Amino acid sequence: MSKIISVNAGSSSLKFQLFKMPEEEVLTSGVAERIGLEEGIFTIKVNGEKITTHTPIKDHSVAVNLLLEALVKHGIVKDLKEINGAGHRIVQGGAYFDQSVKVDDEVVAKVDELCELAPLHNPAHLICYRAFKEALPEIGHVFVFDTAFHQTMTAESFLFPVPYEWYTDYKIRRYGAHGTSHKYVAERTAALMGKDIRDLNIITCHLGNGASITAIRGGKCINTSMGLTPLGGIMMGTRSGDIDPTVVFYMMKKLNCTPDEMDTYLNKKSGMLGISGISSDARDVQAAAERGDERAILTQKLYVNRVINVLGGYAMQLGHVDAIAFTAGLGENDAAMREYILKAASELLGLSIDYELNAKIHGVETKISNDDSKTAVYVVPTNEEVVIARDTVRILGL
């Protein structure tokens, strides 16, 4: 028996689960949310009850310390030495990694080198890893890469229409992200349908502060919305998603800004935050929209527009869609946004949705489509952590 902690750091969150393996028994789970915002939220489950603390969480190292202190404080472990291994989600593995690996100095150096391709994620992952490594110096650590699941894309999906030498010489291509989540959710959706995933076409919508959509045929990724970095794809919390590249050149001249400053605009000051002027958090935008704030309403409409454009394109590429699955913070919990998206895609995908049921669903595994719906629709809470724990046990030989 081993105790394995799975660490899943997002751009503004840190999810975790402590497992007893190989039973996959969850000893505790929780999340630090709104990292970097004025009011952070830390939640940990103790004896089946959620204990929530509202406190500023300046960065991911603070979140790690909150987590480790809580494990001992609440008696989940008597001593941190009870933990036998740690698995860490890493967004960007670039051309270096097509599978999970045991961490050593060379691996850390390569992940650090790839920070420029995932500026909101890889640095946070490394902060978390180093904090855990300091607290748990004797155990093995494993990096599980988001990009691995998307390696089944063929060239027409992963290449950009730029000089081919950019790909051969510099590895410029679509890598995607959230692969661990998309894999888990697709497999879980197939299980809920009682069907073999090899016989299904599924679109998984990982909608959180970072967001991506993936087209999956027979359990294999054939296309995904994020690009070279997590900046590409649909609109997100603070990220622009896809835009006309000329906007970058034009605004750099107008603002007299450097490439690094433009990177900050597109990664940290755009998306929901940039359009609404309110927040990067969909909950804050929804609250403002309900008060009649015009920019908040516009933000929601723009978000829906970007999502359905991708859904439509992937439906065409797949030929038909057996199921759509919503996951991650917004996808699992924002019933209003799910409704806006589904109503906009209803005619194309032949949807028949139980909107009264949808309105009640927050983070619970549920089929929200009616039996006569041409495409089944599910809410499937993601569980990247169990995938991370499995790889950690396998690679460390525990």
Side-chain angles (χ1 to χ4, degrees):
M1 186 271 288
S2 300
K3 291 181 181 178
I4 304 296
I5 190 156
S6 290
V7 185
N8 182 353
S11 56
S12 63
S13 64
L14 172 61
K15 294 193 293 183
F16 62 89
Q17 289 190 45
L18 181 66
F19 291 92
K20 182 170 77 170
M21 299 293 284
E23 298 89 340
E24 297 185 359
E25 177 186 347
V26 179
L27 302 177
T28 190
S29 62
V31 61
E33 301 176 273
R34 298 170 67 95
I35 295 173
L37 299 180
E38 186 173 341
E39 181 183 349
I41 305 171
F42 178 76
T43 303
I44 187 168
K45 188 174 286 187
V46 180
N47 298 322
E49 299 293 328
K50 290 184 178 180
I51 299 176
T52 299
T53 303
H54 294 263
T55 183
I57 305 176
K58 180 182 178 182
D59 56 32
H60 286 76
S61 64
V62 174
V64 171
N65 290 331
L66 283 172
L67 159 59
L68 294 174
E69 290 170 4
L71 292 178
V72 177
K73 174 183 176 181
H74 296 294
I76 297 163
V77 297
K78 292 181 180 179
D79 191 293
L80 293 176
K81 292 181 180 179
E82 293 178 26
I83 299 173
N84 307 107
H88 304 260
R89 172 214 180 194
I90 306 293
V91 161
Q92 181 56 265
Y96 293 127
F97 305 103
D98 59 3
Q99 59 184 333
S100 303
V101 296
K102 185 176 181 180
V103 185
D104 58 23
D105 289 343
E106 182 181 357
V107 169
V108 170
K110 288 178 178 177
V111 171
D112 190 33
E113 177 188 329
L114 293 165
C115 282
E116 61 183 342
L117 298 184
L120 298 186
H121 290 86
N122 276 30
H125 299 323
L126 290 175
I127 290 171
C128 289
Y129 163 70
R130 288 172 175 134
F132 275 102
K133 183 69 173 176
E134 181 177 355
L136 305 167
E138 303 301 322
I139 68 171
H141 295 257
V142 170
F143 282 172
V144 180
F145 296 93
D146 264 7
T147 44
F149 179 65
H150 302 305
Q151 294 302 305
T152 53
M153 285 188 292
T154 53
E156 62 267 29
S157 288
F158 72 67
L159 283 179
F160 297 122
V162 294
Y164 189 71
E165 291 74 21
W166 292 11
Y167 167 62
T168 56
D169 296 348
Y170 302 104
K171 306 303 180 185
I172 298 298
R173 53 159 287 178
R174 183 183 305 279
Y175 288 107
H178 302 134
T180 308
S181 175
H182 288 295
K183 181 178 187 293
Y184 173 84
V185 171
E187 291 175 350
R188 185 62 193 148
T189 299
L192 292 171
M193 297 175 74
K195 296 184 179 181
D196 191 324
I197 194 170
R198 291 173 294 184
D199 299 326
L200 296 173
N201 288 349
I202 299 173
I203 298 177
T204 48
C205 301
H206 181 109
L207 306 180
N209 193 266
S212 65
I213 302 174
T214 296
I216 300 167
R217 177 185 291 132
K220 307 293 185 182
C221 169
I222 66 165
N223 210 342
T224 193
S225 60
M226 281 184 169
L228 174 72
T229 76
L231 180 58
I234 64 172
M235 173 182 175
M236 303 173 227
T238 63
R239 281 170 256 166
S240 64
D242 292 344
I243 62 172
D244 179 348
T246 303
V247 172
V248 177
F249 313 138
Y250 182 82
M251 289 308 300
M252 285 180 70
K253 294 176 182 177
K254 289 293 183 181
L255 299 172
N256 192 29
C257 67
T258 66
D260 285 344
E261 289 169 336
M262 178 53 65
D263 183 87
T264 298
Y265 277 115
L266 296 179
N267 265 302
K268 299 183 178 180
K269 297 182 179 181
S270 297
M272 287 190 172
L273 174 62
I275 298 297
S276 72
I278 296 168
S279 175
S280 62
D281 194 304
R283 291 168 290 191
D284 297 334
V285 175
Q286 174 66 23
E290 290 173 355
R291 295 193 301 267
D293 186 284
E294 291 185 3
R295 283 178 60 181
I297 294 169
L298 174 62
T299 300
Q300 292 183 321
K301 288 181 177 179
L302 181 54
Y303 190 91
V304 171
N305 181 268
R306 291 303 181 96
V307 170
I308 63 171
N309 284 343
V310 174
L311 285 177
Y314 287 175
M316 293 288 288
Q317 187 173 1
L318 287 167
H320 75 275
V321 182
D322 295 299
I324 295 172
F326 288 93
T327 194
L330 186 153
E332 295 172 23
N333 298 293
D334 194 330
M337 189 63 80
R338 285 197 305 264
E339 180 174 341
Y340 301 152
I341 292 167
L342 292 170
K343 285 184 174 178
S346 180
E347 184 174 356
L348 172 67
L349 297 173
L351 302 180
S352 175
I353 306 297
D354 185 340
Y355 287 111
E356 289 187 7
L357 175 61
N358 174 69
K360 300 174 184 177
I361 301 306
H362 301 279
V364 179
E365 193 173 81
T366 310
K367 181 183 179 182
I368 58 174
S369 56
N370 296 314
D371 290 341
D372 63 342
S373 185
K374 182 178 178 182
T375 303
V377 181
Y378 291 84
V379 174
V380 181
T382 191
N383 196 341
E384 295 159 296
E385 292 78 19
V386 74
V387 179
I388 293 168
R390 292 168 184 165
D391 274 10
T392 300
V393 169
R394 175 177 58 82
I395 290 171
L396 295 181
L398 298 172

